[in-house]
Amino acid sequence: MTDKIDDLLEAAREIQSAAHVPYSEYRVGAAIETESGEVFVGCNVENANFSNSLHAEEVAVAEAVKNGHREFARIAVSSSRRDGVTPCGMCRQTLSEFCKPDLEVICDEGEGEEPSVYKLGELLPDTISQETLE
Ligand code: THU
Ligand code: ZN
């Protein structure tokens, strides 16, 4: 692991402590790095109606976008179970709004294990984008 990946994964692990997960007890943290090298984090925020739950990745993307960033180099995702969680289909689509298919998606496989690293394009190929609508 390079130091940069290490730091991003650590940020994703740390923000899990802020997660609101009374229903699933499954904490997720995400840390997204902008092309300019800044990092924004997000955690999952569940809701009693279940369907309103916010996912860690979408919270991280929203945090970055609201601070004026729209170009990203990589995202790290970690769950409290360190089970190699990958962004769900909805989060893959959210990422594809701003990120190119070569975005690195770093998924935590646990202490002492190398994380799994994917490209967004392999997790969500041929998706709808702004260009599709033009
Ligand atoms: N979760 C995320 O935060 N990101 C994903 O992409 C996968 C699922 C959260 C939602 C819910 O709070 C919990 O994990 C169980 O699905
Ligand atoms: Zn998701």
Side-chain angles (χ1 to χ4, degrees):
M1 260 197 287
T2 69
D3 285 354
K4 263 194 149 179
I5 290 183
D6 226 356
D7 290 351
L8 203 62
L9 201 53
E10 200 47 47
R13 287 175 176 176
E14 277 174 15
I15 195 60
Q16 283 175 37
S17 61
H20 175 69
V21 289
Y23 309 107
S24 74
E25 294 180 10
Y26 185 77
R27 293 175 185 275
V28 183
I32 194 162
E33 186 186 330
T34 68
E35 286 287 5
S36 54
E38 286 174 69
V39 172
F40 295 88
V41 294
C43 58
N44 50 341
V45 182
E46 296 184 346
N47 188 280
N49 78 358
F50 285 24
S51 57
N52 279 16
S53 297
L54 303 175
H55 290 198
E57 300 90 322
E58 49 177 354
V59 172
V61 168
E63 193 69 19
V65 170
K66 108 177 187 242
N67 280 285
H69 298 275
R70 286 165 184 239
E71 292 187 9
F72 302 104
R74 54 182 74 86
I75 185 168
V77 186
S78 176
S79 88
S80 44
R81 293 194 201 144
R82 304 279 198 267
D83 54 1
V85 64
T86 63
C88 75
M90 180 185 75
C91 289
R92 295 175 193 194
Q93 181 65 34
T94 295
L95 289 167
S96 79
E97 179 68 18
F98 299 104
C99 309
K100 297 186 190 73
D102 67 352
L103 178 88
E104 260 187 328
V105 182
I106 300 149
C107 303
D108 196 355
E109 298 285 2
E111 293 311 326
E113 301 293 328
E114 286 296 309
S116 296
V117 183
Y118 306 92
K119 297 282 185 195
L120 180 59
E122 66 178 307
L123 294 178
L124 188 69
D126 302 327
T127 187
I128 189 166
S129 69
Q130 205 167 8
E131 289 87 71
T132 321
L133 307 180
E134 278 161 6

